[in-house]
Amino acid sequence: MAVKIRLKRMGKIRTAIYRVVVMDSRTKRDGRAIEEIGKYDPNQEPSLIEIDMERADYWVAQGAQPTEAVAALLKHYKDGTLKVAEPKPSKKDLYEAAVAAAGKADADGGAATTPRKKAAAKKTEAPAAETAAEEAPVAADTDGGEAAAESTDADADASATDATDADKA
């Protein structure tokens, strides 16, 4: 029986995670394995590679042939050229830092992070609306002001007759 050390694909569609397994070379890629000796996650930064080197050496001594991909992983793992991710800070430390930053912001004056809208902007808009209203009748006047003069004369006549009617009463 030809035994190989190869990768077994697992995980979601675009986020593959691999297990380093010892399998019969005639089985399917994701079929039943003889033994799982490690895992490989290329999605992390840096890539996660964990291989039980004692078991890998045992299977190589028994005649198992590593595939090209597994041979490269074994080489990186043996040489020590493997990048190791920085340890993540504990959640307690992150929380304490956030509380300290919030306390510092309150001590600085407690100002909001976004500035308020200025009220002066509303006042400047109102005169612009008034000037637009004043200009509108002038622009609409097409008879050269004759109709406006006639209407003021008519208004004056009406107010004069109203005044005489009030005197009679």
Side-chain angles (χ1 to χ4, degrees):
M1 172 163 81
V3 178
K4 290 206 173 234
I5 302 174
R6 63 186 190 191
L7 296 175
K8 179 178 182 178
R9 190 180 197 279
M10 305 187 82
K12 296 181 182 177
I13 291 175
R14 290 179 182 83
T15 56
I17 298 172
Y18 299 94
R19 290 190 182 166
V20 181
V21 295
V22 178
M23 303 178 97
D24 181 14
S25 62
R26 296 170 288 185
T27 59
K28 296 187 265 184
R29 177 192 70 182
D30 300 336
R32 193 173 122 211
I34 298 170
E35 183 180 357
E36 294 180 3
I37 61 172
K39 53 185 165 179
Y40 169 57
D41 186 359
N43 300 315
Q44 295 182 9
E45 184 58 40
S47 298
L48 170 74
I49 301 173
E50 293 178 1
I51 299 174
D52 185 1
M53 288 306 294
E54 291 178 10
R55 294 305 295 166
D57 291 338
Y58 168 80
W59 281 105
V60 170
Q62 296 298 316
Q65 296 292 319
T67 61
E68 291 179 19
V70 173
L73 292 176
L74 290 173
K75 179 181 154 194
H76 285 296
Y77 203 78
K78 283 182 183 178
D79 293 344
T81 59
L82 187 64
K83 291 182 183 176
V84 179
E86 296 179 10
K88 293 182 180 179
S90 68
K91 290 185 177 182
K92 183 178 179 183
D93 293 339
L94 291 172
Y95 173 75
E96 290 173 356
V99 168
K104 184 179 179 182
D106 290 340
D108 290 341
T113 56
T114 56
R116 289 186 177 180
K117 293 182 179 178
K118 296 182 180 178
K122 291 180 181 178
K123 291 179 182 177
T124 58
E125 291 176 12
E130 292 174 6
T131 57
E134 292 174 5
E135 293 175 6
V138 174
D141 191 13
T142 57
D143 60 355
E146 294 172 6
E150 291 174 7
S151 67
T152 54
D153 293 338
D155 291 338
D157 292 340
S159 62
T161 57
D162 290 339
T164 56
D165 291 337
D167 291 336
K168 292 179 183 176

